[in-house]
Amino acid sequence: MTQIAIPAIDFGVVAPLAVLVAAGLLIMLVDLLSRRASRPMLYGIGIAGCVVSFATLAPQFGHPATTFNGAFATDRFSWAFDAIILIALAASLLLSLVRDADDGASPAAYSSLLVFCAAGGMIMAAATNLIVIFLGIEQLSLALYILAGTGLGRPASQEAALKYVLLGSLASGFLIYGSALLYGASGSVALADIAHAAASPSPLFATGFMLFIVGVAFKLALAPFHVWTPDVYEGSPIAVTAFMAVAVKAATFSVLARFVYVVFGHEYSAALAPLWAIAILSMIVGNVGAIAQTNLKRLLAYSSIAQAGYIVLALAGVTGAGLATMIFYLAAYAFMNLGAFAVIALVGDGAESAADIESYRGMFWRRPWVAACMTVFMFSLAGIPATAGFVGKVFLLGQAIWAGGWGVAMAVVLVLGTLISFYVYFKVVWAMFAPIDDAAPSPQGNSFVPWIAVVAGVAGVIVMGILPQIVYSLVAI
Amino acid sequence: MRLIDVFPFVPLVFGLATLLVPRGSGWVRLLPLVGSLVTLLIGVDLAVSYFAYGGSPQTWSIHPWISVPWTAAYSVRVDGISIWFVLLTAFVAVPALWAAWTYPDEARLRSFMFLLLAFETTLLGLFTAADLLVFYVYWDLMLIPVFLLLAGYTGTAEARRAAWAYLIYNGAGGLVLLLGVVGLVVATHTFELVGPKIVVLPALQWWLFGAFAIAFLVKTPAFPFHAWMPPTYTQSPPPLIAMISGVQSKAGLYGFIVFALPLFPDAARAWAPLMLVIALVSILYGAFAALAQTDMKTLVAYSSLSHLGLVLLALFAFDVTSLPASVLMIVSHGLISAALFIMLGFIEERVGTRDIFAFGGLAAKAPRLQSLMLIAAMAALGLPGLSGFAGEFLILVGAWQTQPVITAISLLAIVIASVYVLRLYQAAIHGGYRAPAGASVVELRPREMLVVAPLLAAIIFLGVWPAVVSSNIRMPMTPTSYQSSSMQVPG
């Protein structure tokens, strides 16, 4: 008779996650018990949860630990991803305070789902076995499917949710099937054991690995698994889109990176070639697709496809410096995207229609500060120097060229994609700069809250662009 | 923190201050001019310290910047090469910002001035950078003020197309350079590449030189990378084009002198035949194309292509005379083209067209304009006694030693230069007066004369006494390392 052994749980290790889950539950509880639970109060609980979670996360820096029999590992790697996810969560809660005119969703449901979603991301960042990975991805995804549809008054939001859930479930299917095959090939769900099977890959392993990559690529919006992205980004409420673009991408990259590094053991493997091909395709598809976009949310969706492709370059050499580069670029990506979405929220002031580039025409002459901040984000996305995006790209190119072979090819495509993206981002800047007849200042939005995210974004982009050492030395693993 | 550390940012600070001035205040015009004068004064001060004390702490400063994964430093300096580019920038910026006073849209004058000053900052930063990463940062940042000034301040569809052409061509060049820069740093692990001699494997050199060369040729521009040039030169407002043709077009040549040639001597020798062909085609194509133009700004644009091709010839002839003469020619061409484009701006403002056959005989109405135009035109065709002559002559004498055939063919362009410059001058200034209806041709105003006076004075001064520049040039490389057949690396 076998006994079920409950593994010892180190609550200190899971504290940041536990705090976040508790905050989510508290939001629901408060909403249930208090009649006067206002939107700012509920969101405030979420933001407070972020702060407390970060306070418990901070001491973990430099103290790697595992729990749940090694299935859940906190190290510098997961620490950095957790920090990015918490920043994204706090920013999107802030942006959510600008009420979407068509948003009829319950504030409690909305904010608690957002918090649970972030908790899923944190699980992914720390997951070291296939089951925990799947658990994290599903917690994140299921909450996100609902969130995408919370613009209850807009059919586009419903459409986004439906597309996301259908295609997302398909991707989850690939992921779980791939995981099953990997388990079959290696006899274990722990990544460390799968690494043994990777040393002499069987057809079973190769198939499992490919299916796993497909599932992950879907979540990352890497081409050719990106088709859902523009519609979902455009349809979802702006705060959800911001969270989707940053936190989901960060969490999923943490899974991809841990998988590649643990399974392929810090050395270059030919088995990774499909991943490089996907990256090259994404850089092209994302940047070319962005050319024709007239809606900023769609433009940023294509941009995120290309940026995800760039980030894969960090893995090219499978080196420690590569991990640091990936985290650096993701942090840069977080600041510039959250900032750009915050500007959209600021300009729209609750109206989703304001994401048209046309409504930014002459912005420099109407609201110079808004335009200046947006320009910083656009330049960072384009990789113009003195911004975080530029330094990130230099690091990525360095990793890729150092790796040689596929790496050099990816570096060339990155440069080509960047050139195309110049047109995309400068088009936005140019629209804001265009002369307009009526240069009277347009009415200011009544919400200052997005300014917090905008200013934080600008500060992050500039500081990382001019003094990259501060962040890089923090994430160097 | 030394003066040299903050020197490139002086114009930017004045530009930011200009943005804060209330609209319509006189300071909107005065402050940028004062800023450019202050910058020039500091530049002269740096020159004096350099030539008095050599490479001293006053002219060289290094602050560690990045340590992992590669090292980079905020490293700035002026030396026997860069000081001439710095002085040229600071000198040309003064008339450019003064000419900007007449920008018609009062509401947007502040940002116009700001962008011009920001452009000056990127140029000064570029020429003082001793670290490759710092150099690249300014190289790329240069795109932004030029793009915005082109796209946003004339409002015509042609100007917008020119802005996109400028951005895509120069952006592409910059990104190719980025590949080269990162490729180099992966090999050397440091961006601090001026000063210590770094030996790069010849096989790698070949690729890196190619990447650097493409970027530098696009920026100059040289054939076949010049497609962005005619629209940009034609559509830019006069202050901007004075800065672009006067200074920015020298950035690529500066890159060759300071980075590509000293860092990759073996590759430079291997690439030299192709570069010489590019130089020759640029020289001839520019000259013949200038001959065919009726738009006066496009004409001068193509003449720039021809003249800068000559500088390229000087660099890749690897001759002891032609190498330093290239810097003399660069300085001289900067002064001449800035003066020409500012005066063409005056003419266009008066007659309302750039077509040289649509008007003529301006001498009858504006004798002072005629006199000043005469000096600039004669300098452009290389009349002895003006600055254009000394540089061209020394380049031809030097290049003849190592590349007699190419130099001989290039001489043809010198002849054609006389034809197209005189054609422009004759059509616009001489003959019976005629101008399109509605044009009000008035004599040059005193302020306008003062704007171009310093440029013309410098052209005459350098024509009479070129040794001021030519004997104070310290090239970072000697021709011997390129001429010898051994695979020796300098240093």
Side-chain angles (χ1 to χ4, degrees):
Chain A
M1 183 171 146
T2 50
Q3 225 175 348
I4 296 173
I6 308 286
I9 300 167
D10 182 345
F11 284 101
V13 175
V14 294
L17 178 62
V19 168
L20 219 48
V21 173
L25 293 172
L26 188 62
I27 290 171
M28 293 163 77
L29 209 59
V30 168
D31 184 52
L32 190 68
L33 299 179
S34 162
R35 288 173 180 210
R36 287 176 299 151
S38 63
R39 178 185 285 259
M41 181 181 166
L42 294 170
Y43 293 4
I45 296 173
I47 293 171
C50 276
V51 173
V52 176
S53 175
F54 190 80
T56 57
L57 180 68
Q60 290 185 359
F61 184 77
H63 299 290
T66 59
T67 184
F68 292 107
N69 266 349
F72 191 93
T74 56
D75 40 29
R76 243 205 241 198
F77 176 78
S78 69
W79 191 93
F81 282 97
D82 286 352
I84 293 174
I85 291 167
L86 285 177
I87 290 171
L89 175 61
S92 26
L93 281 169
L94 274 178
L95 296 187
S96 308
L97 279 169
V98 187
R99 195 188 162 91
D100 180 349
D102 303 317
D103 169 15
S106 137
Y110 172 86
S111 53
S112 59
L113 278 171
L114 209 51
V115 172
F116 288 140
C117 201
M122 288 174 84
I123 294 174
M124 288 159 74
T128 62
N129 83 29
L130 293 174
I131 291 175
V132 182
I133 288 175
F134 188 72
L135 202 69
I137 287 185
E138 284 308 285
Q139 164 149 13
L140 176 120
S141 301
L142 290 174
L144 213 52
Y145 299 147
I146 307 170
L147 285 169
T150 46
L152 291 179
R154 280 181 304 117
S157 181
Q158 311 304 310
E159 183 192 328
L162 194 62
K163 277 184 180 161
Y164 199 25
V165 73
L166 285 176
L167 290 170
S169 314
L170 189 68
S172 292
F174 275 106
L175 196 77
I176 193 86
Y177 195 33
S179 301
L181 293 183
L182 285 172
Y183 174 67
S186 63
S188 167
V189 290
L191 295 183
D193 298 327
I194 296 174
H196 300 307
S200 53
S202 58
L204 195 60
F205 174 86
T207 316
F209 175 65
M210 285 301 299
L211 292 174
F212 187 85
I213 290 292
V214 168
V216 167
F218 175 89
K219 300 285 176 193
L220 287 175
L222 284 165
F225 312 105
H226 68 284
V227 280
W228 57 276
T229 319
D231 289 343
V232 173
Y233 274 40
E234 187 189 5
S236 304
I238 188 82
V240 175
T241 313
F243 185 82
M244 223 183 259
V246 176
V248 176
K249 212 149 269 196
T252 315
F253 263 116
S254 77
V255 167
L256 180 65
R258 206 184 276 274
F259 188 90
V260 167
Y261 274 70
V262 174
V263 170
F264 293 100
H266 290 263
E267 65 188 56
Y268 182 83
S269 167
L272 290 169
L275 190 58
W276 312 144
I278 287 175
I280 286 176
L281 198 62
S282 300
M283 290 189 272
I284 296 171
V285 167
N287 284 314
V288 171
I291 289 178
Q293 301 309 319
T294 56
N295 178 298
L296 268 177
K297 282 164 92 180
R298 285 185 83 84
L299 187 146
L300 286 171
Y302 278 104
S303 157
S304 85
I305 296 168
Q307 310 271 342
Y310 299 159
I311 296 171
V312 175
L313 264 74
L315 298 172
V318 203
T319 59
L323 276 185
T325 300
M326 168 182 269
I327 297 170
F328 184 93
Y329 198 90
L330 271 169
Y333 174 86
F335 281 119
M336 55 206 191
N337 272 279
L338 290 173
F341 283 115
V343 170
I344 298 175
L346 188 70
V347 172
D349 199 30
E352 292 288 336
S353 58
D356 279 343
I357 293 180
E358 202 50 38
S359 57
Y360 285 74
R361 187 161 296 282
M363 187 63 86
F364 259 106
W365 318 112
R366 292 185 281 129
R367 298 176 74 176
W369 287 105
V370 174
C373 292
M374 192 58 162
T375 303
V376 170
F377 299 130
M378 289 297 125
F379 282 167
S380 184
L381 285 164
I384 295 289
T387 63
F390 169 72
V391 181
K393 267 186 189 157
V394 170
F395 286 164
L396 285 175
L397 282 173
Q399 284 305 316
I401 291 177
W402 182 87
W406 276 93
V408 176
M410 286 196 284
V412 171
V413 175
L414 184 146
V415 161
L416 204 67
T418 303
L419 179 63
I420 300 170
S421 78
F422 273 11
Y423 177 76
V424 173
Y425 302 118
F426 273 79
K427 191 174 70 174
V428 179
V429 174
W430 175 71
M432 293 194 295
F433 216 74
I436 47 168
D437 298 330
D438 174 28
S442 60
Q444 304 287 316
N446 54 25
S447 174
F448 74 95
V449 178
W451 272 114
I452 301 171
V454 172
V455 171
V458 168
V461 164
I462 300 284
V463 168
M464 284 180 71
I466 293 177
L467 300 168
Q469 209 69 51
I470 296 174
V471 174
Y472 191 89
S473 55
L474 204 63
V475 299
I477 295 166
Chain B
M1 188 66 72
R2 305 197 184 106
L3 187 57
I4 180 90
D5 285 325
V6 294
F7 168 59
F9 303 108
V10 172
L12 185 68
V13 169
F14 277 92
L16 290 171
T18 308
L19 284 180
L20 298 177
V21 171
R23 183 181 293 177
S25 154
W27 285 101
V28 176
R29 291 186 164 76
L30 214 48
L31 206 55
L33 184 63
V34 171
S36 64
L37 284 169
V38 169
T39 312
L40 179 60
L41 275 179
I42 301 176
V44 170
D45 174 59
L46 289 172
V48 169
S49 347
Y50 176 76
F51 288 115
Y53 308 112
S56 62
Q58 294 210 299
T59 56
W60 191 312
S61 169
I62 298 180
H63 301 279
W65 179 23
I66 297 174
S67 57
V68 282
W70 315 293
T71 61
Y74 180 69
S75 168
V76 286
R77 56 85 183 84
V78 291
D79 58 22
I81 290 295
S82 69
I83 188 65
W84 295 113
F85 289 83
V86 166
L87 286 176
L88 178 68
T89 311
F91 190 76
V92 169
V94 177
L97 282 160
W98 208 353
W101 281 23
T102 51
Y103 178 71
D105 188 349
E106 195 68 29
R108 304 201 301 152
L109 183 61
R110 285 179 301 179
S111 55
F112 187 70
M113 293 290 192
F114 166 74
L115 288 170
L116 281 174
L117 286 162
F119 186 30
E120 188 187 359
T121 283
T122 61
L123 289 163
L124 290 174
L126 187 81
F127 294 136
T128 51
D131 181 283
L132 199 52
L133 189 60
V134 181
F135 175 83
Y136 184 80
V137 163
Y138 288 118
W139 182 273
D140 230 19
L141 282 178
M142 241 173 358
L143 295 175
I144 298 168
V146 178
F147 172 79
L148 292 179
L149 283 167
L150 260 174
Y153 287 86
T154 47
T156 63
E158 291 91 351
R160 282 201 293 278
R161 274 199 294 275
W164 286 115
Y166 174 88
L167 181 75
I168 297 302
Y169 265 85
N170 287 279
L175 289 165
V176 174
L177 179 64
L178 183 62
L179 269 184
V181 167
V182 175
L184 180 60
V185 84
V186 166
T188 60
H189 297 285
T190 180
F191 286 104
E192 299 166 68
L193 293 166
V194 169
K197 283 280 177 282
I198 287 187
V199 181
V200 184
L201 290 174
L204 184 60
Q205 274 192 28
W206 193 88
W207 286 99
L208 298 181
F209 184 89
F212 278 59
I214 288 173
F216 295 159
L217 290 175
V218 169
K219 196 67 112 193
T220 304
F223 185 90
F225 305 106
H226 66 282
W228 63 271
M229 181 191 70
T232 301
Y233 279 35
T234 310
Q235 299 300 329
S236 296
L240 174 63
I241 193 55
M243 297 277 282
I244 292 179
S245 78
V247 187
Q248 192 209 249
S249 65
K250 316 300 184 287
L253 301 165
Y254 173 83
F256 274 118
I257 297 172
V258 173
F259 290 100
L261 290 174
L263 282 172
F264 316 121
D266 300 324
R269 203 166 49 233
W271 279 78
L274 180 61
M275 303 303 285
L276 285 168
V277 169
I278 286 176
L280 183 64
V281 175
S282 301
I283 292 169
L284 293 179
Y285 176 78
F288 280 110
L291 211 50
Q293 300 308 316
T294 57
D295 180 315
M296 56 187 184
K297 280 183 164 172
T298 317
L299 188 153
V300 179
Y302 277 110
S303 94
S304 269
L305 181 65
S306 180
H307 282 104
L308 295 179
L310 204 58
V311 177
L312 215 52
L313 168 63
L315 292 178
F316 285 90
F318 301 129
D319 176 79
V320 72
T321 311
S322 76
L323 275 178
S326 63
V327 178
L328 181 60
M329 172 98 183
I330 283 168
V331 172
S332 157
H333 179 265
L335 299 170
I336 295 170
S337 62
L340 268 177
F341 274 114
I342 288 178
M343 271 191 289
L344 293 183
F346 293 157
I347 294 178
E348 188 184 351
E349 196 185 315
R350 282 169 170 72
V351 299
T353 176
R354 291 188 303 267
D355 183 352
I356 55 177
F357 294 120
F359 65 96
L362 296 189
K365 294 256 183 172
R368 289 188 205 138
L369 174 66
Q370 177 213 0
S371 324
L372 298 187
M373 191 67 195
L374 183 65
I375 301 175
M378 291 307 110
L381 63 77
L383 190 76
L386 298 171
S387 68
F389 172 73
E392 278 181 26
F393 181 74
L394 287 173
I395 285 177
L396 292 171
V397 167
W400 176 266
Q401 311 294 327
T402 56
Q403 301 292 343
V405 178
I406 289 181
T407 311
I409 306 173
S410 305
L411 278 173
L412 185 60
I414 309 286
V415 180
I416 302 174
S418 309
V419 179
Y420 61 71
V421 172
L422 287 175
R423 187 165 148 271
L424 165 67
Y425 180 74
Q426 197 177 21
I429 306 287
H430 284 181
Y433 169 75
R434 63 203 166 80
S440 61
V441 175
V442 292
E443 178 59 297
L444 277 192
R445 300 172 191 92
R447 188 187 63 76
E448 291 172 326
M449 291 174 65
L450 283 174
V451 165
V452 285
L455 290 169
L456 298 177
I459 288 170
I460 296 172
F461 179 74
L462 281 184
V464 179
W465 195 13
V468 170
V469 176
S470 61
S471 60
N472 287 309
I473 293 166
R474 314 264 181 277
M475 297 303 272
M477 66 289 199
T478 56
T480 47
S481 54
Y482 301 93
Q483 287 162 354
S484 67
S485 57
S486 73
M487 297 295 272
Q488 207 181 351
V489 177

